[in-house]
Amino acid sequence: MSHLEQLYQQVILDHARERHGEGLIEVDGAAMAGESFQVNPTCGDEVTLRLRLAPSPDGGAPVLEDLGWEGVGCSISRASLSILTDLVVGKDVREVDGLAEDFRALMGNRGVSLGDEREDRLEDGAALVGVAKFPARIKCALLGWMALRDATAKALVIGPS
Amino acid sequence: MSHLEQLYQQVILDHARERHGEGLIEVDGAAMAGESFQVNPTCGDEVTLRLRLAPSPDGGAPVLEDLGWEGVGCSISRASLSILTDLVVGKDVREVDGLAEDFRALMGNRGVSLGDEREDRLEDGAALVGVAKFPARIKCALLGWMALRDATAKALVIGPS
Amino acid sequence: MSTTAEQATGLGAQELARVRADFPILTRQVNGKDLVYLDWGATSQKPECVIDAEQDFYLTTNAAVHRGAHALAEEATAAFEDARAVVARLVGVDDDEIVWTSNATAAINLVAYGISNATAGRGGAEAARFALAPGDELVVTELEHHANLVPWQELAARTGAVLRFIPATDEGRLDLSVLDEVVTDRARVVAVTHASNVTGAVTDLAPIVARAHAVGAIVVLDACQSVPNMPVDLHALDVDFAAFSGHKMLGPTGIGVLYGRRELLAALPPVTTGGSMVEIVTMETTTYAAPPQKFEAGTQMVAQTVGLRAAAQFLDDLGMAGVAEQERVLTQQLLDGLAAIPHVRVLGPLTATDRLGVVAFEVAGVHPHDVGQVLDADGIAVRVGHHCAQPIHRRLGVASSTRASVGIATTPQDIETFLHALAGVRAYFGVED
Amino acid sequence: MSTTAEQATGLGAQELARVRADFPILTRQVNGKDLVYLDWGATSQKPECVIDAEQDFYLTTNAAVHRGAHALAEEATAAFEDARAVVARLVGVDDDEIVWTSNATAAINLVAYGISNATAGRGGAEAARFALAPGDELVVTELEHHANLVPWQELAARTGAVLRFIPATDEGRLDLSVLDEVVTDRARVVAVTHASNVTGAVTDLAPIVARAHAVGAIVVLDACQSVPNMPVDLHALDVDFAAFSGHKMLGPTGIGVLYGRRELLAALPPVTTGGSMVEIVTMETTTYAAPPQKFEAGTQMVAQTVGLRAAAQFLDDLGMAGVAEQERVLTQQLLDGLAAIPHVRVLGPLTATDRLGVVAFEVAGVHPHDVGQVLDADGIAVRVGHHCAQPIHRRLGVASSTRASVGIATTPQDIETFLHALAGVRAYFGVED
Ligand SMILES: Cc1ncc(COP(=O)(O)O)c(C=O)c1O
Ligand SMILES: Cc1ncc(COP(=O)(O)O)c(C=O)c1O
Ligand code: FES
Ligand code: FES
């Protein structure tokens, strides 16, 4: 794989073209909803991410019921948002937190794999491993995850009504 | 002459020790008097120079009747003030202007003589020719002359009463 | 030394090859390819003489300036002041009208904070001419780099002044049809770029300066892009202040220049205060030295002034008219080449007349950072993003762009390599034609 | 790399010879004599590794940082941020608490103008903690360099705050007996030097920091003289801001450092505004990036950060405890030698305990500039004047002084040569014994 192909793996180019979760979701007033607006200061690109949590049916951590996003950004940031959407919708916030941590670890790992187990959990997100070799692009890949964390925190503060 | 001796000629060292004109003169309210305070910003040294002009007896330019100065400064600045006192007291302001111009020219001449005629006019001041080879000291030698110009201008503005 | 006639024809292939050989970094390989550096508009590369001048200074002369009785200090001071003289000459002004700053941004901020301090009553009676009253107007343009926009926004916020702006046209030039409307007699400052770092448009300054002066406003010129690329005579332009950066004009990083008309520098209150800019300091109060020292607090970037001197001399030896003509031809080549690639839109004028060789463009369907990344794989260095000029991007309907910019050592071959690589970018990302 | 035990005994003659050989300029001749450089306190000379680091950067890596998609830009950014990490480590703080400035003076001014901007209502709710009300007090000391005095005078003048100061003793130390009286609960800032550049006195910071924090004031430390000459752990000292200069610590000119406690940097409004420190810019308004970028407007002194990195690494490799011990021995030699010359009075403590090797003195009957000039004829470089610290000179009864200051490559022989030449100065000017 050439240097460039490590960054732009086919699955990334596909997600950048066929984006999952693009478009903000409607959240009715009653839900545990959160929204976050994030800017990548290096490039000025932006994303707005909105999500809705639902109380866990079994009394555990709330579940991320749905999310959507919109913004301007490069193929890496958009692919990352698309992959994130696939990964986190339907999981409870504790699981989502774990995934976010895995993803952050992947970005800090200079292109080295985190091992099969953790990377399997990240599904298509593991294809972003090469981004960590391009320091200027790490923020691109993390932008959506920052918005996700912020929006989740806001939704949790509001709490179930 | 060594590099250093070009700066510190004997006549300069003598003037620095036996200073002419040191001490401010009294100026009565009626006179064309002027005073100037100057600082050499490089070293923080200061001089205050006070002088009194008198109308010319023959209707020409006013005459610099007396001056005195006080301040802190290096041997070059004090010698220059001492020499200046000898040179200008009793001359009319137009002659003084000419001397000041000669002296400034000497300081701008990188240690080269201005020729016998002009240097003779400067009397002991010609011994300061070597100062021009020490750029950091030129301001020392000119400090008194700046005060002289400023004080003269002030005295002329006030005019004879 | 070229005559004016020779200059008008650019440098010629042989002279260009010789100039290019002066830039050691240009022999570098990037990702296995020869470096093609087309990011001169962000920062220039350095000829060997500049690197050597700075190095020699450290090896033989380094000392604090304007302070010592010793030989090194005298030599360093002479080098420092000689640099001021050479830079002053390059832009047609007097030595004591040149203030060293750390970059152009700092130079513009110096003026803005000087005005702020005057408004706060600092600087005595002479400074009152700068003091702003609420409702006074500061005029900028939609083409400005953030460096010549945000400091004026902040000055307005600090003082109650009002910010107005001259809009841009679709072509990326200033719309001077509204000049008299925007620059009213409440205007106190008109801050304008000499050349846009996005659209490359060179500003028609004469009417702006005339209008500003007619209403009693001072003109602050951002000369960052012009000084490295064309002849600039600040006295002839009749501007009041001007700012430019060493690193963009073949000089070192860490140095910028503020030009100020002599009487304005004398009247403007100091901004950064500390050592070497004072006369008498007591615990209670301080009196200040004359300009330029008044604005140069603390130990200055002496080695960098020596490097910048070498850069200014290098440019002066080439002749700025020749440099400009050289780059004009390359710019036209670049514009023509971009026009021939489908789905590429240039932001800015499409011909190289009154236009510098900073050429920003949009590739439909591909984000600029992705464009830049693919070019980088071929060793081609361009800039991506908003180039610190978000408003003009917004005005032209994009969030960001890719920008190729030429410099003194750019060759026609560089541009061919770039155009060839760019033509393949959309296919790489599978964007349909 | 010395062990701690070795460090406590200084460098040793052999290691000193090796260190000295790293400084090419020290082989220079001045006025036909070998250069004896005793002006380290004004600016340090540069080891070859620092000069080379900067040169290599220009030869291989030069590019604008935090901006590009291209390889040079990425490499330059990595070098720039790595420098921040190495400098942070040298002074015991975190990377993102280090802001690059053009010199220490600019660093102190940054804090003063940040407070000014907060007082003008900039920076939103978090910045309100810095806002000054008339009658609030700013405390400085009589030992300060103008760089840590004049900015606070000006801040007071701009805001209506009141300046107070901790006086100096006859020995040239701070008189801490009046600490509680001077630092009242109206105090908002205590600006204090870590070591005087005139008397060499090292400040006993603990009681000052404790008192300042007890009354809710922030401590701004001038660490210009301490960082190059002794171990400094800013977190352990618990100061809020600190400033020091690259050129005094073997680094390049044109770079300084501001340390700020993380949460204070986050709350302080930006000062210099422009590119690379913003998030979103419209024509009307701007949002700012997080620190340290918030304070680094425009193109930074990238090559100088790389040089400063090499300098910090050089010092760290030697070990600051060893450097301090080395210089303590030389300082004692210097003090003893001066005590033995009639009619010479040292300004400052007479022993090398809690004292750095900047040794200012008066030669009765000879003006400092004349002293320096005669020494220069023997190739000896010392500093003359008020050393940008007029108040402490006035306090000690002189207008100016001659100052010898030792550095990392000073030898006992340098000091002997200096003392020998100094002993002849009064005779040269024919001053009676
Ligand atoms: C104690 C002290 N503070 C501040 C400064 C100012 O440093 P700079 O001139 O590098 O800004 C100096 C050096 O001149 C100094 O010795
Ligand atoms: C037009 C223009 N103005 C201002 C600047 C700011 O210059 P600097 O970053 O060197 O302060 C730049 C370059 O970035 C520029 O292109
Ligand atoms: S370049 Fe802006 S998010 Fe990737
Ligand atoms: S050194 Fe101050 S006047 Fe000469």
Side-chain angles (χ1 to χ4, degrees):
Chain A
M1 236 182 339
S2 82
H3 193 55
L4 198 62
E5 282 161 8
Q6 292 180 22
L7 182 66
Y8 295 122
Q9 295 194 32
Q10 193 55 48
V11 47
I12 295 175
L13 295 181
D14 292 346
H15 270 286
R17 259 198 315 266
E18 297 282 341
R19 296 177 290 279
H20 304 165
E22 193 170 22
L24 294 182
I25 60 167
E26 291 296 321
V27 289
D28 66 62
M32 285 191 287
E35 181 177 306
S36 174
F37 171 72
Q38 296 287 332
V39 182
N40 181 341
T42 328
C43 55
D45 288 330
E46 320 168 342
V47 65
T48 302
L49 184 149
R50 195 185 288 162
L51 55 74
R52 189 174 59 234
L53 305 181
S56 153
D58 59 8
V63 171
L64 201 166
E65 210 174 45
D66 200 8
L67 74 72
W69 54 270
E70 64 180 25
V72 237
C74 65
S75 61
I76 301 298
S77 70
R78 290 152 81 90
S80 186
L81 274 155
S82 174
I83 292 168
L84 167 162
T85 305
D86 290 353
L87 263 176
V88 302
V89 172
K91 299 224 165 65
D92 74 38
V93 296
R94 208 163 304 139
E95 288 170 286
V96 172
D97 243 26
L99 289 168
E101 213 168 280
D102 284 343
F103 190 75
R104 244 171 274 273
L106 188 71
M107 289 303 103
N109 226 26
R110 296 169 187 277
V112 181
S113 162
L114 293 176
D116 281 355
E117 199 193 331
R118 286 175 87 184
E119 289 203 357
D120 283 354
R121 277 208 296 264
L122 288 173
E123 300 176 16
D124 283 358
L128 287 158
V129 59
V131 174
K133 287 193 180 171
F134 294 78
R137 308 307 292 273
I138 293 175
K139 278 194 191 149
C140 304
L142 288 174
L143 193 65
W145 289 91
M146 284 168 56
L148 175 65
R149 179 166 61 182
D150 187 42
T152 308
K154 284 178 180 156
L156 288 170
V157 167
I158 298 169
S161 61
Chain B
M1 237 181 339
S2 82
H3 193 56
L4 199 60
E5 282 160 10
Q6 293 180 17
L7 182 65
Y8 296 122
Q9 295 195 31
Q10 193 56 48
V11 47
I12 295 175
L13 296 180
D14 293 346
H15 269 285
R17 259 198 313 267
E18 298 284 338
R19 295 177 290 278
H20 304 167
E22 193 170 22
L24 294 182
I25 60 167
E26 290 297 320
V27 288
D28 65 61
M32 285 193 287
E35 180 178 307
S36 173
F37 171 73
Q38 296 287 333
V39 182
N40 181 340
T42 329
C43 56
D45 289 328
E46 318 167 343
V47 66
T48 303
L49 185 149
R50 195 185 290 162
L51 54 74
R52 190 176 57 235
L53 305 182
S56 155
D58 58 7
V63 171
L64 200 166
E65 209 173 46
D66 200 7
L67 75 73
W69 55 269
E70 64 179 28
V72 238
C74 65
S75 60
I76 301 298
S77 71
R78 289 151 82 88
S80 185
L81 274 154
S82 175
I83 291 168
L84 166 162
T85 306
D86 290 354
L87 263 177
V88 302
V89 172
K91 300 225 167 67
D92 75 36
V93 296
R94 211 166 301 141
E95 289 170 285
V96 172
D97 242 28
L99 289 168
E101 213 169 279
D102 285 344
F103 189 76
R104 244 171 273 274
L106 189 70
M107 289 302 103
N109 227 26
R110 298 170 185 274
V112 180
S113 161
L114 294 176
D116 282 353
E117 197 192 331
R118 287 175 87 185
E119 290 203 356
D120 283 353
R121 275 207 298 264
L122 288 173
E123 301 177 16
D124 284 359
L128 287 160
V129 59
V131 174
K133 286 195 182 167
F134 294 79
R137 307 307 292 274
I138 293 175
K139 277 193 192 150
C140 305
L142 287 175
L143 193 64
W145 289 91
M146 285 168 55
L148 175 64
R149 178 166 60 180
D150 186 42
T152 308
K154 284 177 180 156
L156 288 171
V157 166
I158 297 168
S161 62
Chain C
M1 276 305 27
S2 324
T3 68
T4 309
E6 280 167 353
Q7 284 171 359
T9 63
L11 301 183
Q14 227 177 337
E15 192 167 7
L16 179 56
R18 192 180 55 68
V19 167
R20 196 175 166 90
D22 285 331
F23 291 81
I25 201 173
L26 296 181
T27 61
R28 223 196 101 151
Q29 298 262 309
V30 164
N31 296 324
K33 304 287 173 67
D34 290 338
L35 171 63
V36 173
Y37 189 74
L38 289 173
D39 199 14
W40 294 85
T43 199
S44 66
Q45 296 302 344
K46 320 302 172 202
E48 224 159 354
C49 63
V50 168
I51 303 172
D52 288 351
E54 208 172 325
Q55 186 185 27
D56 285 352
F57 177 80
Y58 287 129
L59 291 174
T60 65
T61 321
N62 177 61
V65 305
H66 284 311
R67 299 181 164 187
H70 59 81
L72 293 186
E74 281 186 10
E75 293 173 23
T77 304
F80 181 68
E81 291 303 332
D82 183 49
R84 203 190 297 275
V86 172
V87 170
R89 200 167 58 219
L90 183 73
V91 294
V93 303
D94 297 330
D95 302 9
D96 60 349
E97 297 179 314
I98 292 290
V99 175
W100 302 120
T101 65
S102 58
N103 56 23
T105 304
I108 295 167
N109 276 269
L110 195 167
V111 180
Y113 275 101
I115 294 174
S116 213
N117 289 348
T119 307
R122 305 302 299 152
E126 321 105 271
R129 67 192 287 176
F130 293 110
L132 297 175
D136 279 352
E137 294 175 353
L138 310 173
V139 179
V140 296
T141 91
E142 205 172 14
L143 275 177
E144 298 312 307
H145 187 280
H146 297 163
N148 204 27
L149 167 58
V150 188
W152 305 114
Q153 290 180 345
E154 286 289 327
L155 177 63
R158 286 196 301 272
T159 59
V162 175
L163 200 77
R164 305 195 62 180
F165 66 90
I166 302 173
T169 66
D170 293 345
E171 202 200 5
R173 294 192 182 274
L174 290 183
D175 180 1
L176 295 186
S177 70
V178 296
L179 180 62
D180 289 3
E181 221 168 285
V182 176
V183 182
T184 72
D185 51 16
R186 302 265 6 211
R188 304 296 309 284
V189 173
V190 176
V192 58
T193 191
H194 201 183
S196 162
N197 72 317
V198 175
T199 71
V202 175
T203 304
D204 181 12
L205 280 175
I208 299 173
V209 173
R211 175 67 186 170
H213 287 169
V215 299
I218 57 170
V219 176
V220 180
L221 186 71
D222 177 349
C224 280
Q225 293 294 335
S226 56
V227 167
N229 298 301
M230 57 187 258
V232 173
D233 181 332
L234 294 171
H235 274 177
L237 292 173
D238 200 25
V239 296
D240 300 292
F241 292 97
F244 51 100
S245 269
H247 70 92
K248 288 192 203 275
M249 54 183 285
L250 316 185
T253 59
I255 183 167
V257 177
L258 174 67
Y259 156 75
R261 198 192 284 281
R262 179 179 288 109
E263 68 270 21
L264 294 180
L265 285 183
L268 194 72
V271 175
T272 304
T273 56
S276 302
M277 49 76 71
V278 302
E279 276 183 357
I280 298 187
V281 180
T282 66
M283 286 310 292
E284 290 73 31
T285 182
T286 293
T287 61
Y288 297 106
Q293 277 71 38
K294 178 168 70 170
F295 300 104
E296 295 177 350
T299 306
Q300 295 295 293
M301 55 300 285
V302 187
Q304 290 73 43
T305 66
V306 172
L308 186 54
R309 181 207 184 284
Q313 192 62 60
F314 185 95
L315 287 172
D316 206 39
D317 287 350
L318 282 174
M320 289 309 300
V323 168
E325 175 56 16
Q326 166 82 5
E327 295 184 3
R328 194 192 60 73
V329 173
L330 291 166
T331 304
Q332 194 60 58
Q333 180 192 355
L334 190 49
L335 291 169
D336 292 345
L338 288 170
I341 304 177
H343 306 290
V344 167
R345 173 169 77 112
V346 167
L347 309 175
L350 301 181
T351 64
T353 312
D354 294 330
R355 187 202 207 290
L356 295 180
V358 279
V359 181
F361 55 88
E362 174 189 26
V363 178
V366 186
H367 186 278
H369 211 118
D370 293 317
V371 175
Q373 198 81 57
V374 171
L375 296 176
D376 178 58
D378 277 336
I380 301 161
V382 297
R383 177 107 185 262
V384 299
H386 51 61
H387 321 312
C388 301
Q390 290 179 13
I392 185 62
H393 277 91
R394 213 171 281 121
R395 167 67 180 81
L396 299 177
V398 292
S400 58
S401 65
T402 309
R403 184 185 77 183
S405 53
V406 307
I408 186 76
T410 303
T411 62
Q413 183 55 50
D414 287 343
I415 292 180
E416 282 317 308
T417 308
F418 158 73
L419 291 169
H420 180 79
L422 184 69
V425 164
R426 292 181 89 242
Y428 185 91
F429 289 101
V431 184
E432 314 280 300
D433 259 319
Chain D
M1 273 295 23
S2 328
T3 68
T4 310
E6 281 166 352
Q7 284 173 358
T9 62
L11 301 183
Q14 225 178 339
E15 192 167 6
L16 179 56
R18 192 179 56 67
V19 166
R20 197 175 165 90
D22 285 332
F23 291 80
I25 201 173
L26 296 181
T27 61
R28 224 198 100 149
Q29 300 261 309
V30 164
N31 296 322
K33 304 287 173 67
D34 289 339
L35 170 64
V36 173
Y37 189 74
L38 290 172
D39 199 14
W40 294 85
T43 200
S44 66
Q45 296 302 343
K46 319 304 173 201
E48 224 159 352
C49 63
V50 169
I51 303 172
D52 289 350
E54 208 173 324
Q55 186 185 25
D56 285 352
F57 177 81
Y58 287 129
L59 290 174
T60 65
T61 320
N62 177 61
V65 305
H66 283 312
R67 298 179 165 188
H70 60 80
L72 293 186
E74 281 187 10
E75 292 173 23
T77 304
F80 181 69
E81 291 301 332
D82 183 50
R84 201 191 298 275
V86 172
V87 170
R89 200 167 57 219
L90 184 74
V91 295
V93 302
D94 298 329
D95 302 8
D96 60 350
E97 297 179 315
I98 292 291
V99 175
W100 302 121
T101 65
S102 58
N103 55 23
T105 303
I108 296 167
N109 276 271
L110 194 166
V111 180
Y113 275 100
I115 294 174
S116 214
N117 288 348
T119 307
R122 306 301 301 152
E126 320 107 90
R129 66 192 289 174
F130 293 109
L132 297 176
D136 279 352
E137 294 175 354
L138 309 173
V139 179
V140 296
T141 91
E142 207 173 11
L143 275 176
E144 298 312 307
H145 187 282
H146 297 161
N148 204 27
L149 168 57
V150 188
W152 306 113
Q153 290 180 345
E154 286 289 328
L155 177 62
R158 285 196 300 272
T159 60
V162 174
L163 200 77
R164 304 197 60 182
F165 67 90
I166 302 173
T169 66
D170 293 344
E171 202 199 6
R173 293 192 183 275
L174 291 183
D175 180 1
L176 295 186
S177 70
V178 297
L179 181 62
D180 289 3
E181 223 167 283
V182 176
V183 182
T184 72
D185 51 17
R186 302 263 10 207
R188 304 296 310 284
V189 173
V190 177
V192 57
T193 191
H194 201 186
S196 163
N197 71 318
V198 176
T199 71
V202 176
T203 304
D204 181 13
L205 280 175
I208 299 173
V209 173
R211 175 67 186 169
H213 288 169
V215 300
I218 56 170
V219 176
V220 180
L221 186 72
D222 177 349
C224 281
Q225 293 294 334
S226 56
V227 167
N229 298 301
M230 57 187 259
V232 173
D233 182 331
L234 294 171
H235 275 178
L237 292 173
D238 201 25
V239 296
D240 300 293
F241 292 97
F244 51 100
S245 271
H247 70 93
K248 289 192 202 276
M249 53 183 286
L250 316 184
T253 59
I255 182 166
V257 178
L258 174 68
Y259 156 75
R261 199 191 283 282
R262 179 179 290 109
E263 67 271 23
L264 293 181
L265 285 183
L268 194 72
V271 176
T272 305
T273 56
S276 302
M277 49 77 71
V278 302
E279 277 183 358
I280 298 186
V281 179
T282 66
M283 286 311 292
E284 290 74 29
T285 182
T286 293
T287 61
Y288 297 107
Q293 276 71 38
K294 179 169 69 170
F295 301 104
E296 297 177 350
T299 306
Q300 295 295 294
M301 54 300 285
V302 187
Q304 290 73 42
T305 67
V306 172
L308 186 55
R309 179 205 186 287
Q313 192 63 58
F314 185 94
L315 287 171
D316 206 40
D317 287 349
L318 283 173
M320 289 309 299
V323 168
E325 175 55 16
Q326 165 81 6
E327 294 184 3
R328 193 193 60 75
V329 173
L330 292 166
T331 304
Q332 194 59 59
Q333 180 192 356
L334 189 49
L335 290 169
D336 292 344
L338 288 170
I341 303 177
H343 306 287
V344 166
R345 173 171 76 113
V346 166
L347 310 175
L350 301 180
T351 64
T353 312
D354 295 330
R355 189 204 206 288
L356 296 180
V358 278
V359 180
F361 55 87
E362 175 190 23
V363 179
V366 186
H367 187 278
H369 212 118
D370 294 317
V371 175
Q373 197 82 57
V374 171
L375 296 175
D376 178 59
D378 277 337
I380 301 161
V382 297
R383 177 104 187 261
V384 299
H386 50 62
H387 322 313
C388 301
Q390 291 180 11
I392 185 62
H393 276 91
R394 212 171 281 122
R395 168 66 181 82
L396 298 176
V398 292
S400 57
S401 64
T402 310
R403 185 186 74 183
S405 53
V406 307
I408 187 76
T410 303
T411 63
Q413 184 54 51
D414 287 341
I415 293 180
E416 283 317 308
T417 309
F418 157 73
L419 291 168
H420 180 79
L422 184 68
V425 164
R426 291 181 89 243
Y428 185 90
F429 289 100
V431 184
E432 314 279 300
D433 258 322

